[in-house]
Amino acid sequence: MDRVERRNWLAAEFEARYGAQPTLWARAPGRVDLMGSHTDYNEGWILTMTIDRDAWIAARPRSDEVVQIHSLNLGESGRFVLGAIEHSRQTPWLDYVSGVAKVLQEAGFTLCGFDGVLHTTVPLGGGLSSSAALEMATARLLERMCRLPLDSVTLARLAQRAENEFVGVGCGILDQYTSAVGRAGCALLLDARQLSSRDVPISSGLQVMVCDTRAQRTLSGTEYAERRAQCEEGVRRIQRMAAGVSALRDVGVEAFDTYAAGLPPVIARRCRFIVEENARALAMETALRQGDCARLGQLWAASYAGACELYELCVPAMAQMMAAMRAAPGFIAGRQAGAGFGGCMVALVHPAESALFAQHVQQQYHQSSGLHPAIYAVSPAPGANLLDPHDVFPVDS
Ligand code: ADP
Ligand code: MG
């Protein structure tokens, strides 16, 4: 489905439900990380990129406090009243929308209700951040519809607060920041402490490929919180050995070697991964700018090895995917994406061989795992914004 077909479909669904045409269209992309697993909640560095898969909300403001929204992905509708936002037991996904409205109101802004139709091309629950895409599309929509004086970074912080405090997922700022601030053609080197970033162009000699294992994610909900707690314990212990450390971000690779012996082995492994991953995120910027494929391959191999051996976030399907990616034509580099424990992986490949790469990975991974993966190219897209009608309805149509 191309963009025009997608827009026509949403408009038709909107009209069928609400008897009118939508007047405002907001969109926000998913994202993939090119380095920096779990570094965001350690106030560190992440090389991150928006993808050309996004959430769209077609909407029409209402004159009352009611929000009605239908998800075309799930075939479900939800409804809430702005003045009385509670968790939705029947449609838990609605919490991502109502949560954003709730934090905006708590921040002192007056909102109006709307009717909406939602559709995303970001896979749900695969680690490419369909949740942040939904939150940022909602935030951008409300910002424009209600004329809120809020910049992208502030919107991202509020969306993160909605996910942390209302949805109840303890995510860092990475997903929302990338979805809000990303730019076409560029990755971002995000400084999660300063909440600032610099653009890092992706060379035309590199194609980013998402390799979705389609394995049932084994993340029970406790691993993420456990890893976070282990990093925090590491920081508390290092603080007894060194002044001026408030997060793992403050510890360099060499300095860490002197502290490691004073840490319990599991804590030392977790912290070492973060410290090294931060250094790799900074090194990635240089390697990307120089288009140094050998260096990119080394950095990603080290990231994947650390993720498996030190942070222990790998599952068998990820190892099977990694083997398939490494053996495929055009392969330059491969590693985990998102929080790990299944979900998507990511590869850098030579563009001319991307179709062959996809075909080869598809076959080999299916042979080794019995699962049907999804392998596709992604390119960095603009961050959350309003859809330009001319962009999807050609002017002469
Ligand atoms: P990820 O962000 O990696 O995709 P999450 O578990 O954080 O995974 O978020 C996925 C959840 O986001 C879904 O289970 C659903 O509740 C919500 N969601 C995202 N997009 C949509 C959509 N288009 N329709 C309904 N729910 C959505
Ligand atoms: Mg998410």
Side-chain angles (χ1 to χ4, degrees), residues 101-264:
K102 190 171 165 70
V103 295
L104 283 169
Q105 292 183 118
E106 283 167 0
F109 298 107
T110 304
L111 305 181
C112 63
F114 66 91
D115 293 331
V117 165
L118 158 70
H119 176 249
T120 196
T121 50
V122 185
L124 268 56
L128 299 181
S129 215
S130 69
S131 59
L134 174 52
E135 290 153 8
M136 289 314 305
T138 306
R140 197 42 99 197
L141 178 76
L142 289 169
E143 176 251 331
R144 226 32 99 77
M145 201 157 69
C146 311
R147 298 177 200 284
L148 311 178
L150 290 169
D151 60 42
S152 301
V153 176
T154 310
L155 281 178
R157 295 179 77 139
L158 290 167
Q160 183 205 10
R161 190 185 303 165
E163 186 153 343
N164 290 166
E165 294 174 11
F166 191 69
V167 179
V169 177
C171 60
I173 188 68
L174 167 63
D175 299 353
Q176 293 81 7
Y177 186 96
T178 311
S179 183
V181 176
R183 287 210 316 141
C186 287
L188 304 173
L189 179 68
L190 165 62
D191 178 339
R193 171 173 283 168
Q194 303 296 338
L195 272 196
S196 63
S197 56
R198 6 183 222 271
D199 293 345
V200 185
I202 303 272
S203 133
S204 59
L206 290 174
Q207 178 63 60
V208 181
M209 303 289 292
V210 165
C211 300
D212 187 346
T213 63
R214 291 267 180 85
Q216 193 73 41
R217 272 186 118 184
T218 48
L219 196 63
S220 68
T222 58
E223 288 91 346
Y224 185 88
E226 191 183 87
R227 296 296 184 281
R228 271 188 96 135
Q230 288 166 334
C231 291
E232 282 161 20
E233 185 183 340
V235 170
R236 279 195 300 276
R237 287 174 180 265
I238 291 170
Q239 280 169 340
R240 288 183 222 139
M241 299 181 245
V245 172
S246 65
L248 288 175
R249 143 73 170 264
D250 300 312
V251 184
V253 178
E254 278 170 27
F256 182 75
D257 286 335
T258 63
Y259 309 137
L263 300 175

Side-chain angles (χ1 to χ4, degrees), residues 77-88:
S77 299
R79 182 183 189 278
F80 61 90
V81 178
L82 287 167
I85 292 177
E86 285 174 14
H87 291 280
S88 172

Side-chain angles (χ1 to χ4, degrees), residues 25-29 54-55 136-137 140-141 144 179-180 382-388:
W25 296 72
R27 62 161 286 282
D54 51 12
M136 289 314 305
R140 197 42 99 197
L141 178 76
R144 226 32 99 77
S179 183
N385 56 11
L386 291 195
L387 270 187
D388 177 355

